[in-house]
């Protein structure tokens, strides 16, 4: 499991500008100057105050010029969310006042917003609709597969709308709306309705001319375009209803009270200068010399250049990942956003991989980073896998050709690393000489032993004997078909068997697909067990087995969860003198789950049969052999009978003959009643009544000392780890996947144990569970899961790097 020692740090490539941007040095310098020398209060009448007011007035005029607003007001805010609140409150309060004389009006009113709108808009509409007791129905305007708003829906619904909210550019896909066509559609059917357009992602990326539209409100945010967080502005059309959200000292002409954020305004003024300089370059006829001189005034590239950058990135992605799918069309989206999915990879896997290469990307909106699907892509009707696997790559107009070149090189390196880890076919991607220092990644990692693949709570197990070039697969999931096939091919393995432990009700098996591709001549039963298997007598019973290198895979009939359930034991060969089995892994399907037993309330289930199967399996594997079930709902990876009886009273009673078959059947029936299958959700194959990892605690400077009954997981930071290394010999383990580790890791963490190989590590180190271990990952979350699992499995000296590489110094 030791991987190449690639410890040279990568420079940062930031491709998440739609979430936020760095503050440009010129803007930061202006903000600092405002804090140090131009710190006057614009409301003060002395010279310092007048100077501050002059700067604020200049910035306001710049803002109007940038957005093309001759009339109307520009009000400085703390950001887009405040602008959205102000616009919605202003419009709805005006509606409430105008309807005061028509409270018996039976007409059904609505509040409309685009289905792909930022959550701040939808939630604000619902909030103020409720607070103001408007009583309107909040409706989402559908979009088509290209992300364009349904104009026929708007035409039908807007006559009864009290407000309509759309966005100029979508934050996840970069899709822009045809503002002129929207304007025409809205005003033809309701000339008076208040219209807000979220323009946050439009500034600097697409031309704006608000004066030529009937838009009433348009919020903007500075931190999306190289200004500091905490400054933004709201455009309000002349004569549009307005109510201040913040009342007080009457600043901003009484439209938004509170002392103005002068440093933020100073930074914003610099950004506006840069935007206006780009516009001037585009519109003016000039000599090459003058053009070059003016270009030096702004780091912002013209929109045409941004399109070239996007195409360069897209080409690199397509070369690196030939099966990539872009989730939006380029001809109706701004040049600074790419949203894509790679078949066979979750968004988290890709994000972790890009992070390892020090490239920042996003799985969607930063405001919904905990969501596993994209509501934007769902609204566009894209397939579920694209929504679940979506990655957003975004940059700003200050992006440079050099950064784009580096990003493309890094993308190709990432792809090659995946190929070296046998996760994708080797596409022979050429790596730039700029990253030749990482050539040691090109050697294929040799996999030997057990690999666990997870999809949701379901598990697939791949066992590899690399010396014999042989492998078998247990309970193959359809979602990992390509990954399994690639691994077999990449490692040059002969597939001995692909077997299901039972007929699965909760997911689709890909066993027949793999068998057709790799075992076309092998005859097997309905679960994939080879019909030419050998037989052996052990304990006066006959068992069938196949050979895997120098080991056997023994088949044991264990009905209960289903009537066709089997368990498969990887063990040493049985000899005439064998009195017990030496079992490495027991693949028991849904007979024993971590924290529970498989359900027995299917039509083909039998609790009575399960009782006998449990006792039978214990007689073969003992209490300490590692059990690898078909499901791992709590990220516990593996278990043993000893570990389960310590927390599962019912199982303990069965194994100790303290309960009859009939009593077990009665209790089991009541337990299974707690399982509720919900449409659209994963079917649970066991009642999970046991809380995971109940025998561990975490020790850090904020926690109470652990009790004697609990094993402490020591939480380290960079300083405490350095001290610990001087005091004792630690095994420092990076538990990220091998492709992440190969890209970059701390020089001290010379041992790589990917989570997918953690069960193999447990088996290999079961003889020495007292050795001090410290685990690390990207953020500290995966390493904590691994630490908890190790402690539950008897490792008693386990530590975790709190915050992972995100907090730890290289």
């Amino acid at each position: 499991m030791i991987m190449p020692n690639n410890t040279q740090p990568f420079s940062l490539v930031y491709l998440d500008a739609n979430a936020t941007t760095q503050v440009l040095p010129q803007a930061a310098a202006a903000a600092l100057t405002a804090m140090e020398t131009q710190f006057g209060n614009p409301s003060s009448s002395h010279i310092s105050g007048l100077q501050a007011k002059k700067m604020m007035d200049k910035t306001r005029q710049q803002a109007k010029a940038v957005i093309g607003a001759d009339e109307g007001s520009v009000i400085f805010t703390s950001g887009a969310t405040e602008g959205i609140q102000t616009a919605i409150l202003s419009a709805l309060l005006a509606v409430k006042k105008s309807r005061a004389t028509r409270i018996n009006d039976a007409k059904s009113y609505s509040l409309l917003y685009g289905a792909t709108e930022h959550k701040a808009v939808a939630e604000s509409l619902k909030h103020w609709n409720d607070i103001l007791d408007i009583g309107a129905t909040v409706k989402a305007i559908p979009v088509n597969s290209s992300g364009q708003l349904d104009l026929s829906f708007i035409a039908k619904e807007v006559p009864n709308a009290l407000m309509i909210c759309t966005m100029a550019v979508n934050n996840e896909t970069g899709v822009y709306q045809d503002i002129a066509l929207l304007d025409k559609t809205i005003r033809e059917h309701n000339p008076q309705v208040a219209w807000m357009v979220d323009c946050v992602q439009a500034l600097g990326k697409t031309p704006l001319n608000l004066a030529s539209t009937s838009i009433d409100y348009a919020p903007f945010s500075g931190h999306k375009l190289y200004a500091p967080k905490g400054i933004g502005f709201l455009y309000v059309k002349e004569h549009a209803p307005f109510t201040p959200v913040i009342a007080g000292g009457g600043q901003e002409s009484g439209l938004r009270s509170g002392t103005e954020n002068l440093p933020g305004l100073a930074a914003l003024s610099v950004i506006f200068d840069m935007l206006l300089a780009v516009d001037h370059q585009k519109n003016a006829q000039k000599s090459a010399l003058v053009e070059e001189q003016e270009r030096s005034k702004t780091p912002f590239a013209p929109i045409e250049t941004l399109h070239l950058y996007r195409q360069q990135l897209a080409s690199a992605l397509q070369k690196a990942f030939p099966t990539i799918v872009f989730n939006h069309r380029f001809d109706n989206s701004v040049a600074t956003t790419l949203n894509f999915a790679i078949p066979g990879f979750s968004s988290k896997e890709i994000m972790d991989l890009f992070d390892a290469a020090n490239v920042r990307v996003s799985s969607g909106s930063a405001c919904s980073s905990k969501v596993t699907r994209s509501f934007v892509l769902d609204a566009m009707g894209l397939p579920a896998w694209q929504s679940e696997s979506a990655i957003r790559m975004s940059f700003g107009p200050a992006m440079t050709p050099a950064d784009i070149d580096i990003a493309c090189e890094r993308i190709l390196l990432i792809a090659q690393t995946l190929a070296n880890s046998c996760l994708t076919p080797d596409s022979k991607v050429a790596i730039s000489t700029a990253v030749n220092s990482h050539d040691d990644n090109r050697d294929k990692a040799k996999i030997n032993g057990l690999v666990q693949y997870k999809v949701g709570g379901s598990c697939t197990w791949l066992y590899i004997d690399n010396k014999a070039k042989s492998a078998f697969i247990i309970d193959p999931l359809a979602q990992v078909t390509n990954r399994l096939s690639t691994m077999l091919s990449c490692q040059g393995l002969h597939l001995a068997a692909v077997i299901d432990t039972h007929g699965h009700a909760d997911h689709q098996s890909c066993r027949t697909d793999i068998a057709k591709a790799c075992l076309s001549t092998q005859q097997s039963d309905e679960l994939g067990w080879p019909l030419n298997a050998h037989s052996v007598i052990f304990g006066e019973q006959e068992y069938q087995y196949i050979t895997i290198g120098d080991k056997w895979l023994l088949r044991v009939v264990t009905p209960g969860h289903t009537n066709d359930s089997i368990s498969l034991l990887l063990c040493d060969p049985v000899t005439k003198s064998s009195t017990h089995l030496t079992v490495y892994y027991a693949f028991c399907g849904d007979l024993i789950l971590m924290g529970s037993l498989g359900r027995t309330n299917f039509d083909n289930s039998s609790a009575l049969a399960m009782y006998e199967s449990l006792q039978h399996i214990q007689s073969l594997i003992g209490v300490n052999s590692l059990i690898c079930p078909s499901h791992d709902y709590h990220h516990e990876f593996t278990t043993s009978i000893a570990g389960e009886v310590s927390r599962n009273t019912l199982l303990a009673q069965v194994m100790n003959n303290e309960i009859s078959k009939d009593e077990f059947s009665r209790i089991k029936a009541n337990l299974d009643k707690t399982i509720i299958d919900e449409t659209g959700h994963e079917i649970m194959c066991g009642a999970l009544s046991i809380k995971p990892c109940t025998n561990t605690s975490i020790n850090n400077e904020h926690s109470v000392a652990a009790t004697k009954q609990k094993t402490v997981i020591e939480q380290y930071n960079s300083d405490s780890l350095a001290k610990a290394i001087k005091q004792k010999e630690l095994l420092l383990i990076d538990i990220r996947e091998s492709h992440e580790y190969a890209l970059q890791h701390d020089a001290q963490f010379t041992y790589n144990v990917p989570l997918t190989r953690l069960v193999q590590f447990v088996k290999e180190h079961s003889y020495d569970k007292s050795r001090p271990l410290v685990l690390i990952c990207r953020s500290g979350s995966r390493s904590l899961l691994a630490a908890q699992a190790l402690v539950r499995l008897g490792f008693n000296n386990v530590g975790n790097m709190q915050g992972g590489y995100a907090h730890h110094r290289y």
Side-chain angles (χ1 to χ4, degrees), residues 431-495:
I431 305 301
S432 166
T433 54
V435 290
N436 279 344
S437 58
H438 302 280
D439 280 351
D440 55 356
N441 292 341
R442 298 187 185 190
D443 297 328
K444 292 288 190 296
K446 290 211 179 285
I447 308 296
N448 196 64
L450 192 62
V451 184
Q452 180 188 31
Y453 298 97
K454 283 193 63 182
V455 178
S458 300
C459 300
T460 289
W461 300 93
L462 168 66
Y463 179 80
I464 297 173
D465 185 324
N466 218 301
K467 183 179 179 180
K469 290 298 178 183
S470 185
F472 64 79
I473 301 169
I474 306 295
D475 291 326
L477 296 158
Q479 295 92 329
V480 297
T481 305
N482 291 337
R483 194 165 295 193
L484 291 168
S485 299
T486 301
M487 180 66 75
L488 295 174
S489 174
C490 177
Q491 296 284 318
L493 301 170
H494 161 71
L495 183 63

Side-chain angles (χ1 to χ4, degrees), residues 126-303:
K126 295 171 187 175
H127 176 76
W128 291 111
N129 184 46
D130 181 55
I131 293 294
L132 297 176
D133 196 24
I134 299 295
T137 302
V138 181
K139 293 183 180 181
I141 307 167
V143 297
N144 62 18
S145 60
S146 298
Q148 303 298 138
L149 291 168
D150 186 336
L151 296 179
S152 61
F153 181 93
I154 293 175
K156 177 184 176 183
E157 295 288 340
V158 80
N160 297 330
L162 303 177
M163 186 176 193
I164 181 169
C165 299
T166 64
M167 66 194 320
V169 175
N170 185 265
N171 53 302
E172 288 193 30
T173 62
V175 169
Y176 56 76
Q177 301 297 327
D178 187 331
I179 296 297
L181 191 55
L182 272 174
D183 201 335
K184 182 175 183 294
T185 304
I186 291 169
R187 294 313 174 195
E188 280 183 356
H189 295 87
N190 191 337
Q192 303 304 318
V193 67
W195 181 21
M196 184 190 78
V197 177
D198 177 353
C199 289
V200 168
Q201 296 292 345
L203 200 61
K205 303 169 187 177
T206 188
L208 288 172
N209 187 8
L210 298 188
S212 65
T213 73
S214 66
I215 294 170
D216 295 294
Y217 311 97
F220 296 85
S221 181
H223 79 98
K224 303 291 186 178
L225 198 71
Y226 307 107
K229 296 171 181 63
I231 187 66
F233 62 98
L234 173 69
Y235 162 77
V236 182
K237 191 174 184 64
E238 191 177 18
H239 306 308
F242 188 86
T243 297
V245 168
I246 301 176
Q251 290 86 351
E252 288 290 89
S253 301
L255 302 179
R256 198 270 190 187
S257 293
T259 301
E260 294 86 349
N261 178 1
L262 211 62
L265 287 171
L268 206 55
S269 177
V270 170
I271 300 300
F272 289 155
D273 272 339
M274 293 175 177
L275 289 173
L276 292 170
V278 173
D279 288 340
H280 183 62
Q281 288 173 13
K282 181 178 179 180
N283 297 328
Q285 297 292 326
K286 57 183 78 69
S287 68
L289 177 62
V290 173
E291 186 176 353
E292 183 63 31
Q293 291 173 341
E294 292 200 353
R295 186 178 291 117
S296 65
K297 297 178 182 177
T298 176
F300 290 173
I303 291 174

Side-chain angles (χ1 to χ4, degrees), residues 121 152 166 203 267 278 429 439 484 509 561 635 650 659-660 796:
V121 173
S152 61
T166 64
L203 200 61
V278 173
V429 174
D439 280 351
L484 291 168
S509 169
H561 175 63
H635 307 290
L650 181 59
I659 190 173
S660 69
N796 54 30

Side-chain angles (χ1 to χ4, degrees), residues 662-677:
D662 291 338
E663 184 66 9
F664 172 79
S665 183
R666 184 187 65 79
I667 295 174
K668 193 67 172 58
N670 289 332
L671 186 61
D672 289 339
K673 288 178 182 178
T674 64
I675 302 173
I676 300 175
D677 296 322

Side-chain angles (χ1 to χ4, degrees), residues 566-589:
I566 60 173
S567 294
L568 299 158
L569 313 182
L570 184 68
C571 60
D572 281 340
V574 176
T575 65
K576 291 182 179 179
S577 61
S578 296
T579 58
H580 68 279
L581 294 180
T582 300
V583 177
Y584 296 89
Y585 305 107
F587 305 97
C588 63

Side-chain angles (χ1 to χ4, degrees), residues 291-344:
E291 186 176 353
E292 183 63 31
Q293 291 173 341
E294 292 200 353
R295 186 178 291 117
S296 65
K297 297 178 182 177
T298 176
F300 290 173
I303 291 174
E304 295 77 12
T305 302
L306 300 180
H307 279 282
L308 295 177
Y309 290 165
R310 178 172 67 177
Q311 189 53 54
Q312 189 177 346
L313 287 171
S315 296
L317 286 167
Q318 289 169 321
K319 185 176 182 180
F321 307 104
T323 61
I324 191 172
V325 176
F326 290 103
N327 296 323
H328 60 108
R329 290 176 15 210
F330 286 6
D331 61 358
N332 74 329
S333 56
V334 293
T336 53
T337 301
L338 299 93
N339 193 298
F340 60 88
I342 302 170

